[in-house]
Amino acid sequence: MTTVHPMDPETQITGNLDAKSVADRAKHVAETAKDSVYDVRERATSAAHNARDRAEYEFERGKEQIGAARDEAERAVKSNPGLAVAGALGVGVLIGMALTSRR
């Protein structure tokens, strides 16, 4: 089957575009557009899955890091309770000073 392109020199010279050649060209354009849409959809789906997987991984990693920091803080407080109380008192004084200096 021969497809005639409107820019084909023979077509330009004779102006001979029959209905079948126009239909063939339209079919080809439609198939190309359909393939392009399918490719874009596949790439978008893949990108969405990759983003979801990465977000899940980072979320789990963050949970592990927070858990490790919490465990470390608990160990530090248990091993030095006096220092923990003094630190909390110091933070409280600083916050109190900051709040009263604004008034």
Side-chain angles (χ1 to χ4, degrees):
M1 176 165 93
T2 305
T3 302
V4 177
H5 189 278
M7 299 307 290
D8 180 44
E10 179 66 25
T11 303
Q12 289 179 349
I13 293 170
T14 64
N16 187 14
L17 274 177
D18 61 2
K20 184 175 180 344
S21 63
V22 171
D24 288 345
R25 181 67 181 150
K27 182 179 177 183
H28 174 71
V29 169
E31 288 172 357
T32 301
K34 181 180 175 184
D35 291 344
S36 295
V37 168
Y38 179 78
D39 290 343
V40 168
R41 184 178 62 194
E42 287 297 312
R43 284 185 282 177
T45 300
S46 177
H49 287 298
N50 289 342
R52 184 195 63 215
D53 292 345
R54 179 66 182 202
E56 287 175 355
Y57 169 77
E58 293 298 338
F59 178 75
E60 290 300 321
R61 193 170 137 211
K63 280 183 9 180
E64 290 171 5
Q65 289 175 346
I66 289 171
R70 185 194 63 229
D71 293 344
E72 181 62 31
E74 285 179 7
R75 277 193 294 276
V77 168
K78 286 179 182 178
S79 65
N80 297 312
L83 183 59
V85 170
L89 179 62
V91 169
V93 168
L94 291 174
I95 292 173
M97 290 170 53
L99 291 176
T100 57
S101 67
R102 290 186 180 184
R103 291 182 182 177

